[in-house]
Amino acid sequence: MGPTAARKTELAVQLVERLPCEIVSVDSAMIYRGMDIGTAKPGPEVLARAPHRLVDIAEPSEAYSAARFREDALREMAAIVAAGRIPLLVGGTRLYFHALQHGLSVLPQADAAVRARLDEEARALGWEALHRRLAEVDPVTAAQVHPNDPQRIQRALEVWVLAGQPMSALLAAGEARVVLPYRLVKLVRAPRERAVLHARIATRFEAMLAAGFEDEVRGLLERGDLTPELPAMRCVGYRQMLKYLDGDYNYEEMVQRGIAATRQLARRQLTWLRAESSCEWIFDEADPLATALTMIERGRRNAAPAG
């Protein structure tokens, strides 16, 4: 696990070359086909060294859920174990890791009328106002959702309206009912200094632009079936590029906002990871691979069976 731009993939590939592991991606953006540059998806040369499961499994026009991820991930993990190997889950999507480890409680199904009402209120008041409302009824969820994330704000408020309970409470109630049938060794790859991560994020975003990120998004728009409201198009970087292509941002503003949004994502990921239990942190030591191998061996000896 780790924040974006933490060099998780680099370490994971090294582990695959040393251990009988296969990678299962835990990334809510890499699932989409055709979204390669802006998601920092591993290139063909990396995938040749270490194939990734659950990459390129959905169209950007689809709404891929955490529940579907859990089902897909458990299936792939079972296949890896059946082949005598070990699943190595790699990514930074908190909701997916949480769904896999703890399951998902039964939340109310989406309600078109409630969503339409919330959309209307958002147009009149703004999503930041709805985020403040969410903080009043469900402060736990509000603390995990950015005020500029309309999809998650809407869903959390929708759950509150339909269930009469905070989404965080419903999720917590469901955790005790799920036992993951695996022993877990949780490794977190992250720079020790926040400034280092910020510099990597800026460098990577500039590299994405140089690699043709703008052309990638233009090509996606030419499909004709993608709108800014789709989860895929709300991914960090894509949202800012769409604003630029629509004329809402100039080029420099798009770059700065894209970098800033990525930094905000990294900050939220680090907040989650610091609260996650039983994690081993791998900072930028001289040899992260050796550190990881030591941690894995210690975890293998000490981890008790799940349940």
Side-chain angles (χ1 to χ4, degrees):
M1 301 181 286
T4 185
R7 299 181 177 171
K8 300 182 295 295
T9 299
E10 176 183 325
L11 178 57
V13 171
Q14 293 173 329
L15 288 172
V16 165
E17 294 175 337
R18 292 289 298 272
L19 301 172
C21 293
E22 292 189 29
I23 293 175
V24 178
S25 174
V26 189
D27 189 295
S28 60
M30 290 187 188
I31 61 171
Y32 294 116
R33 288 185 282 270
M35 294 175 58
D36 303 328
I37 298 172
T39 62
K41 195 175 293 179
E45 68 287 349
V46 173
L47 294 176
R49 293 169 59 196
H52 285 46
R53 297 178 185 236
L54 302 189
V55 168
D56 290 338
I57 60 170
E59 288 296 323
S61 55
E62 296 181 54
Y64 187 89
S65 67
R68 181 175 165 189
F69 166 78
R70 189 175 196 275
E71 180 180 333
D72 289 344
L74 287 173
R75 182 189 65 247
E76 298 297 340
M77 292 166 72
I80 291 169
V81 171
R85 299 177 69 79
I86 302 168
L88 175 58
L89 292 104
V90 182
T93 300
R94 173 191 175 278
L95 181 59
Y96 285 8
F97 274 117
H98 188 279
L100 182 61
Q101 185 176 352
H102 301 294
L104 291 169
S105 63
V106 179
L107 297 178
Q109 294 291 319
D111 186 291
V114 172
R115 292 194 168 190
R117 187 166 73 249
L118 290 170
D119 282 337
E120 184 177 348
E121 292 182 32
R123 285 192 293 270
L125 304 173
W127 284 107
E128 289 191 8
L130 267 66
H131 185 269
R132 288 193 294 270
R133 183 189 304 171
L134 177 62
E136 294 175 358
V137 300
D138 188 354
V140 174
T141 299
Q144 300 169 349
V145 177
H146 193 273
N148 293 328
D149 189 341
Q151 180 185 16
R152 295 180 66 192
I153 295 170
Q154 181 190 64
R155 177 54 177 159
L157 287 173
E158 177 186 41
V159 169
W160 166 257
V161 170
L162 295 174
Q165 298 182 59
M167 186 165 71
S168 58
L170 293 174
L171 291 173
E175 289 184 8
R177 299 196 297 269
V178 176
V179 176
L180 187 67
Y182 297 94
R183 292 182 298 173
L184 301 178
V185 178
K186 300 180 185 179
L187 306 181
V188 177
R189 180 76 171 97
R192 192 179 296 275
E193 300 295 332
R194 184 73 61 89
V196 173
L197 185 61
H198 285 182
R200 287 184 190 169
I201 287 171
T203 299
R204 190 179 69 176
F205 197 81
E206 296 283 0
M208 288 175 178
L209 294 170
F213 182 34
E214 179 179 339
D215 289 338
E216 177 176 272
V217 178
R218 288 185 183 277
L220 289 168
L221 293 176
E222 289 173 359
R223 292 168 44 124
D225 62 343
L226 303 180
T227 66
E229 291 74 29
L230 286 167
M233 296 295 97
R234 290 176 177 171
C235 290
V236 167
Y238 289 86
R239 185 169 62 248
Q240 290 74 29
M241 180 61 76
L242 286 174
K243 289 282 190 179
Y244 163 66
L245 295 178
D246 285 342
D248 295 328
Y249 298 158
N250 61 38
Y251 187 85
E252 184 60 29
E253 187 177 12
M254 176 271 293
V255 173
Q256 294 307 314
R257 286 179 177 266
I259 292 172
T262 309
R263 288 178 176 177
Q264 291 167 357
L265 170 62
R267 184 169 64 249
R268 295 194 298 273
Q269 290 171 319
L270 286 168
T271 299
W272 148 53
L273 290 165
R274 292 190 186 101
E276 185 75 10
S277 63
S278 305
C279 288
E280 297 267 18
W281 286 71
I282 303 171
F283 296 108
D284 288 341
E285 283 85 6
D287 192 346
L289 174 60
T291 303
L293 290 170
T294 298
M295 291 175 172
I296 291 170
E297 176 58 23
R298 183 167 62 239
R300 187 188 67 81
R301 292 196 308 265
N302 297 337

